[in-house]
Amino acid sequence: LIKSVQLQSGYSQEIILNNRYGENIIEFNGKRVRMLQANCNDQACIKTGWIENSRKQIVCLPNRLVISLVSPVSSDIDDIVR
């Protein structure tokens, strides 16, 4: 765990993360988050777009970074398939 952020309406921030694998810029806006910039080749993490619930993740494999949202309220639902 590098950083924990409590998302709430009106919250806005950009965080720059540098490690030996690369650089990522994460943008927080209200109750959602996205990868704004990354220096990886495939840019899959940026193409994921905004995530707003705990059923999605943003993954940057080349830079070894995973962004997950965790709900403060537990749920009995393991997964939803459509």
Side-chain angles (χ1 to χ4, degrees):
L1 179 65
I2 295 173
K3 184 165 182 86
S4 177
V5 175
Q6 185 172 351
L7 300 178
Q8 56 190 353
S9 297
Y11 179 77
S12 181
Q13 182 180 9
E14 289 181 9
I15 296 175
I16 299 171
L17 295 176
N18 288 299
N19 63 30
R20 64 182 176 161
Y21 305 106
E23 178 179 284
N24 297 77
I25 300 177
I26 303 165
E27 180 180 10
F28 300 91
N29 186 327
K31 296 183 178 183
R32 58 190 193 155
V33 62
R34 72 174 173 166
M35 189 74 68
L36 183 61
Q37 292 180 7
N39 67 347
C40 58
N41 290 329
D42 64 5
Q43 300 286 291
C45 54
I46 294 174
K47 293 173 188 171
T48 302
W50 292 100
I51 62 171
E52 302 181 40
N53 60 58
S54 60
R55 293 184 303 269
K56 294 186 177 181
Q57 292 183 326
I58 300 172
V59 179
C60 184
L61 284 178
N63 294 354
R64 298 187 183 185
L65 177 67
V66 177
I67 300 172
S68 300
L69 299 181
V70 179
S71 175
V73 179
S74 63
S75 173
D76 292 335
I77 299 172
D78 290 330
D79 204 357
I80 296 175
V81 178
R82 293 182 187 202

